Amino acid sequence: KVVVVDGSYDDAIGMVRKEAEANGWYLVSDQAWDGYETIPTDIMVGYSTIFQEVEEAVEDEMRESDVETSMDGFWGTRQGDGSGGYGEPITHVVLQAGVGGFAAAGAAWVATSSSPAWHKDCQIIIAEPSDAACILENIQAKVVSTEELKMCSGKTESLMSGLN
């Protein structure tokens, strides 16, 4: 069953919340709110599997290539052709913002990993549409706590059917 909600993505989530509560259904969403943090956190942990798999694939390529890896001195030494291809540490990670769970999971994985798969100065880039620049708005407002988070003020329209 598809229900079209006259409103925004947040309006649709609100409607789904009410329907789930009224019918005793389980709601599975990566968007969190007060009292609903466990499932979104579990989804973020699931997202981290993607970054673990990338890390393992790059480590495998490093072992099979001519790149010398050593954990001496934390990041060790690197010797490769500098092409940035397989077998080289990842220097940049571009993540889509969405509601933030995927970007947070990826940034946390890269920032806390001790794997040589990630360059010691790996740059994390978060991309979001200009008319739904929620993360940018919060950075510009210098938000430092979840209580201060600002809702997105843009149109947040999407080409993906069902998200508007």
Side-chain angles (χ1 to χ4, degrees):
K1 176 178 172 182
V2 175
V3 176
V4 177
V5 175
D6 185 27
S8 68
Y9 175 80
D10 291 326
D11 295 329
I13 292 293
M15 194 261 332
V16 169
R17 284 176 63 184
K18 288 179 188 171
E19 287 289 318
E21 288 170 10
N23 292 289
W25 298 338
Y26 286 99
L27 178 61
V28 178
S29 172
D30 64 350
Q31 185 176 20
W33 50 83
D34 285 338
Y36 185 78
E37 294 94 7
T38 302
I39 291 175
T41 299
D42 289 345
I43 291 170
M44 284 178 58
V45 170
Y47 290 151
S48 69
T49 302
I50 296 168
F51 303 96
Q52 179 181 7
E53 289 175 354
V54 168
E55 181 177 286
E56 289 171 356
V58 172
E59 288 173 351
D60 288 347
E61 288 293 327
M62 292 174 113
R63 280 190 290 278
E64 294 171 11
S65 72
D66 65 349
V67 177
E68 179 186 325
T69 60
S70 167
M71 290 306 289
D72 296 336
F74 188 67
W75 285 102
T77 58
R78 306 278 186 274
Q79 295 175 352
D81 65 7
S83 67
Y86 289 125
E88 297 278 335
I90 297 170
T91 60
H92 293 76
V93 178
V94 181
L95 306 165
Q96 59 85 17
V99 297
F102 181 76
W109 186 275
V110 173
T112 61
S113 176
S114 60
S115 169
W118 310 103
H119 191 277
K120 67 179 179 175
D121 295 319
C122 185
Q123 299 296 301
I124 298 169
I125 302 154
I126 299 173
E128 59 186 353
S130 59
D131 68 345
C134 309
I135 291 177
L136 178 62
E137 289 175 21
N138 281 279
I139 290 171
Q140 289 174 333
K142 298 184 171 138
V143 171
V144 295
S145 70
T146 56
E147 291 80 26
E148 298 176 275
L149 284 173
K150 301 186 178 307
M151 295 299 291
C152 193
S153 61
K155 296 186 298 185
T156 64
E157 292 183 7
S158 171
L159 294 175
M160 185 177 277
S161 181
L163 287 184
N164 293 330

